[in-house]
Amino acid sequence: MLRQLTPGQLKQLQHEARAASYLKYVAWTTLVYHTGDEVKPIAKKLPFLFRPVFLRHLYAWIYMLNNYKKYDYIICRHIAFDPFSYFFSRYIPNRIPVHHGIETQGLLSSRPGILGRLAAVLEKYSVRVSLRHAVGIMGVTDEICTYHLENNAPNKKMPIIIYPNGICLESIQTIDDERNDIAHNIVFICGKFSKWHGLDLLLSDMLNDSEVLTHPGTLHLIGELLPDTQILMASINDQKKMFKVKYHGRLPYEAYSRILATCDVGLSSFALHRQGITKATTLKVREMLAAGLPVYSGHPDSAIPESFPYYRIGKPCMRKIMAFSSQMRNIPRQEVRRASEKYIDKIAILEKTIQEVVKINDL
């Protein structure tokens, strides 16, 4: 249940639905209600009367109450600061909430001021009620699952299920190879850059270590920028050095895949600490690896070993990113994809998740 389904969320749900269609032994339904347009068969538009914020939450519970008996389990993305969980959660005995973060920290970060603090206080108590009546905890990383088990679940023996993001590999093609032997081309892509992406940290590093700007290259930014990062970007380009920051805005895949073809490395987030977490399993990392593009990230990915050569963890430091770029420049795109498949394949991830869910009955 969401206000507005983002393109990234829609892609993740489409990958999930496609992966489930290959698993003939399970009847898995993927469904979202939101205020945006209908996207068959996954996304439905909320009835008009239920589109205001808390009434959206109410509609989610009404839907679950009406449908939970049709399924062995109903897996619901956790609804933050939800007053209706106090009443309805006890009446859905086969519910597993899915957590995509530590919601209290996320609310404080994304909603500064009194409203954020009030939402965080409500979330602090409503999440505990939600977990008191759930049969398990699901999260996209082990860190998130462990946090909620230790801090919010009254039953410390409650089963936890890690459900990382993944992609259907057949939907992502390996990008062309148009890399430059001399210039570094690095890409940072988001639908909308947020504080937790940490782009400001990387741009500030470039300003503080301006020698890196004497090397030929381009940092490509694809997505919507925050105003403060636009100022930092302009400060870098005003120096008129060999290394530039190029802002492309939002682009369709066909357009930005041509940019990716020129790149040595793609970037992931550098400031997850602003959300109160240290790990993630983001969709964009999986898309880049499947396309044959190595990734430099500021955080571990709980589904990818830290020793994996095509996912480098480091600080938001352009000097280190350039060194990684040089190392990756001659690695074939197909090699990056082939080595990544076992960590990012949605079919395998979903199958493992279902096996863990089924074990709940045996506990």
Side-chain angles (χ1 to χ4, degrees):
M1 180 62 61
L2 298 166
R3 181 182 67 83
Q4 179 72 54
L5 187 65
T6 68
Q9 290 167 337
L10 176 60
K11 283 196 289 185
Q12 186 56 236
L13 294 173
Q14 288 172 329
H15 285 300
E16 178 179 279
R18 180 180 292 187
S21 70
Y22 287 98
L23 305 179
K24 303 303 181 184
Y25 62 88
V26 62
W28 180 287
T29 301
T30 297
L31 178 65
V32 59
Y33 276 96
H34 72 144
T35 59
D37 294 333
E38 185 171 348
V39 183
K40 295 182 178 180
I42 294 170
K44 295 186 178 181
K45 194 163 188 173
L46 275 164
F48 179 78
L49 292 177
F50 289 94
R51 291 176 193 170
V53 56
F54 285 112
L55 293 185
R56 293 198 296 270
H57 300 179
L58 176 61
Y59 191 84
W61 289 105
I62 292 172
Y63 179 87
M64 287 190 283
L65 281 169
N66 288 335
N67 290 275
Y68 78 89
K69 292 181 180 179
K70 299 177 183 177
Y71 300 94
D72 297 300
Y73 296 96
I74 185 161
I75 300 169
C76 175
R77 178 166 179 155
H78 174 69
I79 303 172
F81 64 99
D82 174 33
F84 298 106
S85 64
Y86 288 93
F87 178 76
F88 288 108
S89 59
R90 70 190 66 209
Y91 298 112
I92 304 170
N94 57 347
R95 180 180 57 89
I96 305 173
V98 186
H99 292 268
H100 288 246
I102 298 173
E103 289 82 9
T104 49
Q105 294 296 321
L107 288 167
L108 290 170
S109 174
S110 63
R111 299 166 181 257
I114 185 65
L115 291 179
R117 292 196 294 272
L118 287 173
V121 169
L122 179 55
E123 168 61 14
K124 177 181 178 180
Y125 294 102
S126 65
V127 66
R128 294 175 182 177
V129 173
S130 168
L131 291 178
R132 182 179 301 137
H133 302 290
V135 295
I137 303 172
M138 190 175 285
V140 294
T141 70
D142 55 341
E143 176 188 35
I144 291 169
C145 288
T146 300
Y147 175 88
H148 286 293
L149 180 67
E150 294 178 351
N151 293 278
N152 295 320
N155 176 12
K156 303 306 178 185
K157 295 183 179 180
M158 176 179 284
I160 61 174
I161 301 157
I162 301 167
Y163 183 32
N165 287 323
I167 59 172
C168 284
L169 292 163
E170 64 186 31
S171 66
I172 305 291
Q173 300 300 314
T174 306
I175 54 176
D176 294 333
D177 193 347
E178 298 176 9
R179 287 174 283 189
N180 189 299
D181 291 336
I182 300 174
H184 298 277
N185 276 282
I186 297 154
V187 64
F188 205 159
I189 180 170
C190 300
K192 184 176 182 179
F193 286 90
S194 300
K195 288 288 187 182
W196 59 270
H197 289 116
L199 174 59
D200 60 311
L201 301 178
L202 178 59
L203 296 178
S204 295
D205 170 80
M206 294 167 67
L207 284 170
N208 293 330
D209 184 11
S210 58
E211 185 184 340
V212 300
L213 302 179
T214 63
H215 298 276
T218 304
L219 172 62
H220 300 274
L221 302 179
I222 302 174
E224 293 183 27
L225 288 183
L226 294 171
D228 58 340
T229 50
Q230 293 184 37
I231 294 170
L232 289 169
M233 179 184 68
S235 297
I236 292 170
N237 289 335
D238 286 346
Q239 297 187 31
K240 301 188 183 303
K241 299 288 182 68
M242 295 181 71
F243 195 94
K244 301 294 183 184
V245 181
K246 188 171 183 179
Y247 176 46
H248 299 274
R250 281 184 178 265
L251 293 175
Y253 178 77
E254 295 75 16
Y256 75 69
S257 63
R258 292 194 290 271
I259 298 170
L260 296 185
T262 69
C263 292
D264 309 307
V265 171
L267 304 181
S268 186
S269 303
F270 294 107
L272 289 184
H273 60 274
R274 292 170 174 169
Q275 293 281 83
I277 56 178
T278 62
K279 295 181 181 180
T281 62
T282 58
L283 180 64
K284 67 179 178 180
V285 166
R286 280 129 188 84
E287 290 180 331
M288 288 188 289
L289 290 173
L293 189 65
V295 175
Y296 184 99
S297 174
H299 62 81
D301 187 301
S302 60
I304 300 174
E306 292 192 21
S307 60
F308 185 60
Y310 307 127
Y311 184 81
R312 178 69 56 83
I313 302 169
K315 296 180 179 180
C317 171
M318 184 52 73
R319 190 178 292 270
K320 292 183 177 181
I321 294 170
M322 285 181 173
F324 185 54
S325 168
S326 297
Q327 294 171 14
M328 294 293 105
R329 186 169 293 157
N330 295 317
I331 304 296
R333 304 291 198 199
Q334 278 298 141
E335 165 59 21
V336 176
R337 178 186 174 97
R338 181 201 60 76
S340 304
E341 287 180 356
K342 58 185 175 183
Y343 305 121
I344 64 177
D345 178 19
K346 186 68 174 184
I347 297 174
I349 291 169
L350 182 60
E351 189 163 31
K352 182 179 179 182
T353 301
I354 290 169
Q355 291 169 356
E356 293 299 314
V357 170
V358 170
K359 288 179 184 176
I360 291 176
N361 277 335
D362 300 327
L363 298 176

